[in-house]
Amino acid sequence: MLTGKTIILGVSSSIAAYKACEIVSRLKKLGADVWVVMTESATKLVAPLTFRTLSGNSVITDLFSEELAKLPVPHISLAKKASLMLIAPATANTIAKLVEGKADDPLTTIALAIKGPKLIAPAMNSAMWQNVATAKNIKKLKKLNWQILGPVEGKLACGDEDIGKMMEPAEIVVEVARWLGGSVGLKGRQILVTAGGTREAIDPVRYISNRSSGKMGYAIAIAAREQGAEVTLISAAKLPDPLDIKVVRVETADEMLKAVLKYYDEADVVVMAAAVADYKYQIPNNKLQTIPKSKIKKTKQGLVLSLVPTEDILKTIGKMKGRKDKVIVGFALETDNLIKNAKKKLIDKNLDFIVANQPATFDSDQIKFSIIDKSGKVADYPLQSKDQAARAILDLAACWCCP
Ligand SMILES: Cc1cc2nc3c(=O)[nH]c(=O)nc-3n(C[C@H](O)[C@H](O)[C@H](O)COP(=O)(O)O)c2cc1C
């Protein structure tokens, strides 16, 4: 998706420099030619050899090195071939130098010669970020046509929970791709998302359901729309319709199955975030299983309900999965043996990856989760907003979508 694009990645000496390794890997995976330029201090945090190995290109730490001698004027040659320059992480010091137009190291020298898009992802302690000097510099950088990515709130290296954390590599790469034509992510893709807990009627006033709010599914639908996808949201949640998204309202597991099957074929990515009831009430003496008209009256003898399993939607669509590039994402919520159970579900239902999470997620705006892919690799994600989690999940789905 970024084939033919050359990206210069400037790395300055924030502790977040190690995350720049992931940025390089992701950009490479998308086909970009990546050249890493490091400040001298950054080389004390991450060895240039790491970036050289990941990028497959020489790492620029010295414009006067023998290695670059084959380029007549290295900083101009590199700046000219760049489709985009990204500085991630950017220290307060490097930001200040960019504002002043300084060119006393390879990073700032190349930056000064860049004519194309320039993106910068600051990372620093919150006090440094909130310092008036930095705030003024950021304003000036914007005027100098730098696109500022983040920083975000989170746990900082110093232990504080505050603003200053570098944006996640996956999110930065999505931004880079956007600036290079928006081809990555889910632009033009058809996404089918399910959300909410289904409700299985017992009588006209009662039902069996679960604690799912639908917030995660909605966050995914909205994030996918923001990435340019065509989204169909099959919702059993009591949340308002998001803008610009086709919403199909359902109540029961059977209705959700029917709706999923209706939209399944056209979908490139199916994200099954709904909590579908595993059982439904078997209404006695009712062949069509229509909801009885009368409320069941309370008796002293108590009430025994007979429950029958609902059809397993994930398993049904997992079996149908034929098109090579269709991505199916499942969710597993478990109280016990989370990863073991999630892995089993992933295999049983023929999913591409599964998002494993715990009951604390219910109705919360945040989620702590793990993603397990087909190879069995488990990636743990810290507690974060569902919006942020949605982007991470879609980023992965987009990668799996890549031809
Ligand atoms: C372990 C360590 C972590 C640091 N992390 C940051 C950081 O996150 N952000 C920042 O602006 N400076 C950070 N600094 C300070 C910069 O490294 C320092 O200001 C340096 O002079 C910046 O040089 P550079 O911009 O040329 O890389 C850190 C320093 C150390 C020793």
Side-chain angles (χ1 to χ4, degrees):
M1 287 182 175
L2 296 182
T3 307
K5 305 287 183 194
T6 299
I7 293 161
I8 310 264
L9 172 61
V11 179
S12 58
S13 62
S14 154
I15 198 70
Y18 75 94
K19 290 190 174 178
C21 299
E22 190 185 335
I23 297 176
V24 177
S25 302
R26 284 180 176 273
L27 292 172
K28 287 290 292 177
K29 198 171 164 193
L30 294 169
D33 182 24
V34 184
W35 290 78
V36 177
V37 190
M38 301 178 79
T39 64
E40 195 188 339
S41 304
T43 64
K44 293 177 183 154
L45 295 172
V46 181
L49 185 58
T50 307
F51 287 115
R52 185 196 181 120
T53 310
L54 292 171
S55 70
N57 284 323
S58 302
V59 172
I60 299 129
T61 53
D62 174 9
L63 287 175
F64 304 94
S65 70
E66 278 302 311
E67 212 175 351
L68 291 184
K70 53 183 177 290
L71 299 172
V73 188
H75 56 291
I76 302 297
S77 311
L78 284 166
K80 274 189 178 164
K81 72 189 232 164
S83 316
L84 174 148
M85 181 167 191
L86 163 71
I87 303 180
T91 58
N93 175 60
T94 289
I95 289 169
K97 291 207 295 187
L98 292 171
V99 168
E100 284 180 33
K102 282 204 167 171
D104 61 357
D105 63 25
L107 193 160
T108 48
T109 306
I110 293 172
L112 209 54
I114 291 280
K115 286 187 175 165
K118 299 177 288 188
L119 276 58
I120 190 162
M124 64 196 74
N125 168 272
S126 52
M128 292 171 84
W129 175 250
Q130 283 157 349
N131 189 298
V132 180
T134 308
K136 275 188 184 162
N137 284 339
I138 290 293
K139 267 192 187 165
K140 287 180 192 162
L141 264 195
K142 285 181 189 165
K143 284 197 181 141
L144 293 171
N145 280 333
W146 283 90
Q147 308 302 322
I148 320 290
L149 311 179
V152 295
E153 278 186 20
K155 190 139 181 117
L156 305 176
C158 55
D160 295 351
E161 189 89 29
D162 211 333
I163 182 108
K165 199 172 137 87
M166 188 174 83
M167 256 171 78
E168 284 306 312
E171 295 172 67
I172 292 174
V173 171
V174 167
E175 289 298 327
V176 168
R178 256 186 211 153
W179 275 92
L180 292 176
S183 55
V184 82
L186 297 162
K187 193 168 183 209
R189 303 277 189 176
Q190 300 279 343
I191 311 291
L192 180 59
V193 184
T194 64
T198 58
R199 291 181 295 282
E200 310 301 326
I202 295 172
D203 67 17
V205 293
R206 304 183 182 97
Y207 58 77
I208 301 168
S209 190
N210 56 64
R211 296 182 191 281
S212 171
S213 64
K215 286 181 182 175
M216 190 65 243
Y218 273 59
I220 288 170
I222 293 165
R225 184 70 202 110
E226 280 168 4
Q227 284 190 18
E230 290 289 323
V231 185
T232 302
L233 172 64
I234 299 174
S235 172
K238 290 173 180 163
L239 294 171
D241 289 2
L243 270 185
D244 230 3
I245 287 175
K246 177 177 184 170
V247 183
V248 180
R249 295 275 170 189
V250 295
E251 186 165 308
T252 65
D254 286 345
E255 286 170 10
M256 186 166 275
L257 172 70
K258 222 168 132 189
V260 167
L261 293 179
K262 182 170 175 191
Y263 294 100
Y264 174 81
D265 265 349
E266 64 196 38
D268 297 300
V269 178
V270 182
V271 184
M272 294 287 295
V276 183
D278 290 324
Y279 297 98
K280 61 183 176 184
Y281 174 44
Q282 193 172 33
I283 304 161
N285 310 317
N286 184 335
K287 264 193 185 167
L288 292 174
Q289 293 291 295
T290 45
I291 303 172
K293 285 200 172 65
S294 309
K295 184 182 159 193
I296 300 170
K297 297 308 291 175
K298 188 174 177 183
T299 61
K300 279 195 179 146
Q301 292 78 41
L303 177 67
V304 176
L305 294 176
S306 167
L307 301 181
V308 287
T310 53
E311 186 167 339
D312 188 329
I313 304 178
L314 256 186
K315 194 155 194 162
T316 305
I317 60 169
K319 272 190 203 153
M320 288 162 57
K321 198 172 163 220
R323 244 172 69 199
K324 225 178 160 192
D325 61 348
K326 197 188 282 286
V327 177
I328 304 184
V329 184
F331 273 70
L333 185 135
E334 301 284 348
T335 48
D336 308 299
N337 300 321
L338 176 63
I339 300 299
K340 195 176 155 208
N341 284 327
K343 275 186 177 172
K344 187 173 180 305
K345 189 168 177 181
L346 172 88
I347 295 162
D348 285 354
K349 316 223 165 159
N350 192 23
L351 310 177
D352 290 282
F353 63 91
I354 194 158
V355 182
N357 63 123
Q358 286 172 319
T361 309
F362 278 140
D363 208 25
S364 168
D365 291 327
Q366 294 186 307
I367 181 170
K368 183 172 180 280
F369 61 103
S370 301
I371 291 183
I372 308 162
D373 68 25
K374 276 191 285 195
S375 70
K377 193 181 87 193
V378 182
D380 295 323
Y381 290 74
L383 187 69
Q384 56 195 271
S385 73
K386 285 186 174 171
D387 296 343
Q388 205 180 347
R391 289 193 292 270
I393 292 163
L394 290 175
D395 193 51
L396 204 60
C399 289
W400 283 95
C401 247
C402 288

